[in-house]
Amino acid sequence: MDTKELLKKVRKIEIKTRRLSDHIFGGEYHSTFKGRGMTFSEVRQYQFGDDVRSIDWNVTARYNEPYVKVFEEERELTMMLMVDVSGSELFGTSNQFKKEIITEISATLAFSALQNNDKAGLILFSDEVELFIPPKKGKSHVLRIIRELLEFKPKSNKTDLAGALKYLTNVMKKKAIVFVLSDFIAEDYERTMKIIGNKHDVTGIRVYDQREESIPNLGMVQMQDFETGKIQLVNTQSKSVRNAYAKYHRERVDYFKDTFTKSGSGVLDCRVDESYVKKLLGYFKRRG
C-alpha cells in the first residue's frame, strides 16, 4: 500500500469512526468507564444542604466559620487496545474481512478515548507481541494507531493470547480500560485472564464470520488453515465431520465467554455482517 492510498484509507476510517465516537459513543464511553476515583479540588464556605461529613475542621477553626472540602472525579483514564493480527483475521465471506471490522471498532474506541481526553495505546499480537504503542493523548497519536491497524504486516500467522495478556501485565502497571479484539480461536488463557481481570477493566470483543460456525455440505472441498498454512481435502458430505467442526467451534466460543465472565470481564460478539455500532452502544448502555 503506497503512502497516498494509506492516507486515503486512514482519512476514510477517521471520518466514519470519529462521527460515531462524537455523536454516539462519547457520552456512553464517559458514563461507562468512570475515573479512578475522587480527587481533592478545593475548599469553599459551607452552603445549606452540604454534607456535614465534608467539613474541613482545620480551615473551619482558622476562619471561625464552616468550610467544606470539594472533590471531583479523577477523569483521566488509559485505554489499551489489544488486537489479534493472526492469519485467521483475514477471513470473511461477506462484504468485509474480520480484520476490517476490528480496525473500525478499534478506531471508534480510540476516538471515544480522545474525546474524553484519555490516553490510548495499542498492542498487536499473533503468537508473539508484534507491536506495542505506549498510551498517549492526541489526534495525531490516534491516527498513528489507525495507520498501524491498516498497514501492519505481522511476522507470524499463529495466535498466543495468553502470551499477549502476560505482556500487558508487564507494561501496564496501573489500572487501564482494556479491549481485546479477536476471533478468540485460542486456548489456555484462563489463568492469565484471572490475573488481568483483577487488575484491569477488560472487555473481550469477539469478531467472527457466520461461516465459521458450521461447514455446509459441499462435497469434497480443499481447505486451508490461515494460521498454519496447511491445506487438506475435507469431506463436507460427512455428517460426523460437520458435527465435529461445529462442536470445536462452540467449545472455543464457550471457553472465551466463560473465561472472561469468570474473571469479571465483559464479553461482546460482533458478526461481520451485523452492525457493530448497535452492539457497542448496547454494551455501553448495559455497563453504564
Side-chain angles (χ1 to χ4, degrees):
M1 192 186 302
D2 61 36
T3 304
K4 189 176 180 181
E5 186 184 355
L6 175 62
L7 291 173
K8 188 177 177 181
K9 283 196 170 187
V10 170
R11 182 61 180 157
K12 184 179 178 182
I13 286 182
E14 180 192 359
I15 291 168
K16 179 177 181 179
T17 58
R18 187 154 197 177
R19 191 183 299 126
L20 289 173
S21 63
D22 287 349
H23 298 294
I24 301 175
F25 295 117
E28 297 296 340
Y29 172 94
H30 179 96
S31 61
T32 302
F33 304 105
K34 304 293 192 298
R36 286 188 291 268
M38 304 302 288
T39 183
F40 175 73
S41 175
E42 61 178 341
V43 173
R44 63 162 171 78
Q45 282 185 297
Y46 178 87
Q47 297 173 1
F48 179 76
D50 284 340
D51 190 338
V52 294
R53 290 173 296 182
S54 63
I55 292 175
D56 187 321
W57 294 107
N58 290 330
V59 178
T60 297
R62 192 181 309 148
Y63 291 102
N64 207 27
E65 58 181 315
Y67 276 77
V68 294
K69 292 179 181 178
V70 178
F71 293 84
E72 61 183 22
E73 183 185 0
E74 191 180 352
R75 187 41 242 165
E76 185 181 293
L77 297 166
T78 297
M79 183 184 74
M80 282 301 303
L81 296 167
M82 294 189 65
V83 176
D84 182 352
V85 291
S86 64
S88 62
E89 305 310 328
L90 293 172
F91 180 79
T93 57
S94 299
N95 296 329
Q96 290 179 295
F97 291 141
K98 289 184 283 184
K99 179 186 175 182
E100 293 172 304
I101 299 297
I102 285 174
T103 297
E104 288 191 18
I105 295 172
S106 298
T108 302
L109 293 170
F111 277 120
S112 296
L114 174 67
Q115 188 182 358
N116 283 278
N117 200 34
D118 294 339
K119 295 178 183 178
L122 177 68
I123 292 174
L124 300 181
F125 69 93
S126 55
D127 61 347
E128 61 182 289
V129 171
E130 302 262 1
L131 177 70
F132 170 55
I133 299 179
K136 193 177 173 182
K137 294 182 183 181
K139 180 182 173 183
S140 61
H141 181 69
V142 169
L143 292 177
R144 183 198 169 189
I145 287 174
I146 295 172
R147 283 198 302 272
E148 293 291 357
L149 287 164
L150 283 169
E151 190 183 37
F152 190 83
K153 298 290 189 293
K155 299 174 193 170
S156 174
N157 288 324
K158 298 179 182 179
T159 311
D160 180 8
L161 179 54
L165 293 171
K166 286 174 185 174
Y167 182 88
L168 177 74
T169 61
N170 292 329
V171 295
M172 296 301 297
K173 301 302 181 185
K174 292 183 179 179
K175 183 177 181 180
I177 299 166
V178 180
F179 290 97
V180 187
L181 296 102
S182 172
D183 51 20
F184 293 95
I185 303 174
E187 300 174 351
D188 300 327
Y189 54 87
E190 184 175 5
R191 187 177 176 184
T192 318
M193 266 307 302
K194 283 181 181 177
I195 298 169
I196 297 289
N198 285 330
K199 186 176 181 182
H200 302 291
D201 187 337
V202 187
T203 300
I205 301 179
R206 185 175 73 96
V207 178
Y208 69 102
D209 189 288
Q210 60 180 333
R211 288 297 184 191
E212 293 175 306
E213 296 178 304
S214 61
I215 300 176
N217 185 348
L218 300 172
M220 293 295 292
V221 178
Q222 193 176 62
M223 292 187 174
Q224 181 178 21
D225 187 316
F226 279 99
E227 300 208 354
T228 64
K230 185 179 178 181
I231 299 173
Q232 66 182 70
L233 279 173
V234 177
N235 181 13
T236 62
Q237 283 182 314
S238 168
K239 191 174 181 180
S240 62
V241 168
R242 296 198 306 271
N243 288 344
Y245 176 83
K247 181 174 180 288
Y248 172 81
H249 182 270
R250 282 196 307 271
E251 286 173 350
R252 295 283 70 72
V253 174
D254 291 343
Y255 179 73
F256 155 63
K257 291 183 177 179
D258 290 346
T259 299
F260 270 70
T261 303
K262 286 176 182 176
S263 71
S265 304
V267 293
L268 182 61
D269 284 329
C270 289
R271 208 169 77 187
V272 293
D273 60 335
E274 294 179 334
S275 169
Y276 66 82
V277 176
K278 290 181 180 178
K279 294 289 184 74
L280 275 176
L281 194 56
Y283 176 73
F284 282 175
K285 285 183 174 179
R286 289 193 301 274
R287 285 280 312 264

